[in-house]
Amino acid sequence: QVQLAESGGGLVQAGGSLRLSCAASGLMFSINYMAWGRQAPGKERELVATITSGGSTNYSDSVKGRFTISRETSSKTVYLQMNSLKPEDTAVYYCNIGVTTPKFRFLAVWGQGALVTVSS
């Protein structure tokens, strides 16, 4: 099995910063992409940031200029640095990694989620 371990969620005041981490483990041939999504109560899950195996990044309009996604290839870890946090950023944040495994050509794996709460 491929497993993801998330950490870094918590409480922060508006304008503050947090860094989320997500480490992948298990048998996988390759990682095709790494990403972060978030879901607030009553809302659909939205894609926040992605990074390809080549290092290309994309961000949702709501977080551009404030969030940065990065990865460490050797440790199979993806990070989300969140600066200038706003109350509307409050959500459960999920890491998402697309992998190739012995069984699946492509498998999207989601982390358990980390709650980020931003106070006014």
Side-chain angles (χ1 to χ4, degrees), residues 9-73:
L11 302 173
V12 65
Q13 292 185 357
S17 298
L18 286 173
R19 189 174 80 153
L20 304 179
S21 301
C22 179
S25 62
L27 183 58
M28 63 196 84
F29 291 149
S30 63
I31 296 176
N32 301 296
Y33 72 86
M34 291 178 163
W36 290 93
R38 66 184 182 186
Q39 188 168 27
K43 296 182 63 178
E44 295 182 353
R45 185 176 298 184
E46 65 171 330
L47 192 61
V48 173
T50 62
I51 185 167
T52 68
S53 60
S56 298
T57 59
N58 285 285
Y59 301 92
S60 67
D61 291 339
S62 61
V63 306
K64 285 181 180 177
R66 300 188 297 119
F67 291 10
T68 302
I69 187 171
S70 61
R71 84 271 189 269
E72 293 180 348
T73 303

Side-chain angles (χ1 to χ4, degrees), residues 16-20 66-67 80-85 93 116:
S17 298
L18 286 173
R19 189 174 80 153
L20 304 179
R66 300 188 297 119
F67 291 10
L80 185 67
Q81 178 66 47
M82 303 183 292
N83 298 326
S84 302
L85 283 162
Y93 285 72
V116 173

Side-chain angles (χ1 to χ4, degrees), residues 64-119:
K64 285 181 180 177
R66 300 188 297 119
F67 291 10
T68 302
I69 187 171
S70 61
R71 84 271 189 269
E72 293 180 348
T73 303
S74 60
S75 63
K76 301 182 179 66
T77 302
V78 61
Y79 303 94
L80 185 67
Q81 178 66 47
M82 303 183 292
N83 298 326
S84 302
L85 283 162
K86 304 175 181 179
E88 50 263 45
D89 294 319
T90 296
V92 177
Y93 285 72
Y94 299 89
C95 61
N96 175 28
I97 301 179
V99 300
T100 299
T101 72
K103 186 175 181 180
F104 296 99
R105 172 70 174 175
F106 180 82
L107 177 67
V109 183
W110 291 89
Q112 65 183 28
L115 177 62
V116 173
T117 302
V118 184
S119 63

